[in-house]
């Protein structure tokens, strides 16, 4: 267990050295290739990973999406994956180790793209919009993500919380700090607190995909479809840009 956890920490920290979490997803692929934006989040571990461990992660992800809950048992995961529940302990140490690996898997692609986004020869406003769209698409793909983060940060052992902070929370905050500072320096952004920005953007994603169940009972709204996701991206762009851009009309005209 210690060896597996040590490997996970090292790998997570290495990812953070290269990229700071932002959940950029497909917008960066589009920036690289010039093609239209399309969501591209891996549903499997990178090639070379153990196939049984991969099946366990995929099964856990699918169960949480199907049930709209992170409350799944080892027997549920085993039945869904077709693997023995004892293999969870073999590959991940315990259930929390599996959930930590799942979060790393889901956030890994986006983590690796943040430095690339910051380095692009585009305006801070354009980077901000790509970031907003990328985060919302990632939450749409993995709607359990924020609940998983909360659980690993607050309801497990200190080691899991430290790892999530190192490869997820702290890097995202640092990315926001640097992006916002770049926007202020260029004259595009008003002074904005990175922690409050993080809270606003991530909290908005969390409520759309987690709080939607409560809203459906109160107002009858339906599930988060692709169209709802697109509408929410546009809504959040308008809301956030309207709050921090120094010239909202010019930004709107520029798209």
């Amino acid at each position: 267990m210690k060896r597996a956890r040590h490997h996970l920490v090292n790998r997570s920290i290495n990812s953070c050295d290269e990229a700071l979490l932002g959940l950029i997803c497909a917008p960066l692929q589009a920036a690289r290739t010039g093609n239209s934006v399309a969501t591209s989040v891996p549903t499997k571990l990178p090639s070379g990973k153990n196939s049984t461990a991969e099946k366990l992660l995929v099964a856990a992800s699918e169960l949480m999406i199907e049930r709209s809950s992170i409350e799944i048992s080892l027997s549920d995961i085993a039945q869904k994956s077709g693997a023995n529940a004892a293999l969870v302990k073999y590959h991940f140490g315990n259930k929390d180790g599996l959930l930590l690996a799942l979060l790393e898997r889901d956030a890994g692609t986006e983590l690796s793209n943040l430095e690339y986004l910051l380095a692009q020869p585009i305006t801070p406003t354009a980077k901000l919009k790509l970031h907003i769209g990328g985060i919302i698409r990632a939450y749409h793909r993995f709607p359990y993500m924020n609940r998983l983060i909360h659980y690993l940060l607050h309801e497990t052992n200190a080691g899991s919380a430290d790892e999530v902070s190192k490869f997820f929370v702290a890097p995202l905050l640092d990315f926001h700090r640097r992006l916002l500072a770049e926007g202020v320096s260029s004259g595009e952004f008003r002074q904005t607190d990175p922690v409050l920005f993080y809270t606003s953007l991530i909290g908005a994603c969390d409520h759309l995909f987690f709080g939607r169940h409560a809203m459906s009972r109160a107002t009858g709204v339906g599930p988060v479809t692709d169209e709802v996701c697109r509408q929410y991206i546009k809504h959040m762009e308008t809301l956030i840009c309207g709050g921090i851009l120094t010239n909202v009309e010019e930004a709107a005209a520029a798209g």
Side-chain angles (χ1 to χ4, degrees):
M1 172 60 185
K2 288 183 179 179
R3 183 167 55 191
R5 188 175 292 280
H6 179 70
H7 172 71
L8 180 59
V9 172
N10 286 342
R11 189 169 159 223
S12 300
I13 293 174
N14 287 339
S15 295
C16 288
D17 287 339
E18 299 173 1
L20 308 171
L21 169 72
L23 307 174
I24 301 305
C25 304
L28 291 180
Q29 282 297 103
R32 287 190 179 107
T33 62
N35 296 329
S36 60
V37 172
T39 302
S40 177
V41 182
T43 57
K44 294 186 176 182
L45 289 172
S47 59
K49 290 295 179 183
N50 182 280
S51 60
T52 302
E54 180 181 334
K55 287 179 182 178
L56 291 166
L57 292 181
V58 171
S61 175
E62 291 177 350
L63 283 169
M64 285 190 274
I65 292 173
E66 290 169 7
R67 299 181 181 182
S68 298
S69 172
I70 65 170
E71 296 298 325
I72 56 175
S73 68
L74 292 182
S75 59
D76 292 333
I77 297 170
Q79 183 176 6
K80 182 78 171 177
S81 66
N84 191 300
L87 291 174
V88 172
K89 182 173 291 187
Y90 176 78
H91 289 292
F92 303 105
N94 54 28
K95 180 182 169 183
D96 287 348
L98 182 148
L99 295 179
L100 190 62
L102 178 63
L103 178 60
E104 185 193 20
R105 184 206 73 166
D106 293 349
T109 298
E110 292 74 37
L111 276 165
S112 67
N113 283 326
L114 292 181
E115 286 296 327
Y116 181 86
L117 177 64
L118 285 174
Q120 292 312 293
I122 56 178
T123 66
T125 301
K127 294 175 186 179
L128 175 64
K129 290 183 177 181
L130 285 173
H131 179 57
I132 292 169
I135 280 189
I136 294 172
R137 288 187 182 92
Y139 271 85
H140 182 41
R141 181 69 184 86
F142 301 114
Y144 54 79
M145 187 177 290
N146 221 39
R147 279 169 286 170
L148 194 55
I149 294 169
H150 288 311
Y151 171 76
L152 291 168
L153 282 174
H154 304 296
E155 299 181 40
T156 59
N157 59 64
S160 294
D162 287 344
E163 289 178 26
V164 174
S165 295
K166 287 176 183 176
F167 78 76
F168 198 96
V169 179
L172 176 55
L173 284 170
D174 191 52
F175 171 79
H176 287 163
R177 177 186 60 78
R178 294 200 286 161
L179 177 58
L180 292 171
E182 182 182 326
V184 171
S185 178
S186 70
E188 294 180 40
F189 296 172
R190 298 185 179 94
Q191 286 286 349
T192 303
D193 186 293
V195 174
L196 297 181
F197 179 87
Y198 170 97
T199 304
S200 299
L201 180 56
I202 302 304
C205 290
D206 189 31
H207 195 74
L208 175 67
F209 296 103
F210 182 46
R212 187 112 177 149
H213 303 294
M215 288 191 293
S216 67
R217 292 183 175 87
T219 65
V221 297
V224 182
T225 63
D226 289 343
E227 178 58 27
V228 170
C229 187
R230 285 190 289 270
Q231 291 175 1
Y232 201 61
I233 290 172
K234 197 66 179 176
H235 169 73
M236 289 305 298
E237 284 181 358
T238 302
L239 196 65
I240 292 175
C241 291
I244 71 172
L245 297 190
T246 55
N247 194 323
V248 179
E249 291 183 0
E250 286 185 11

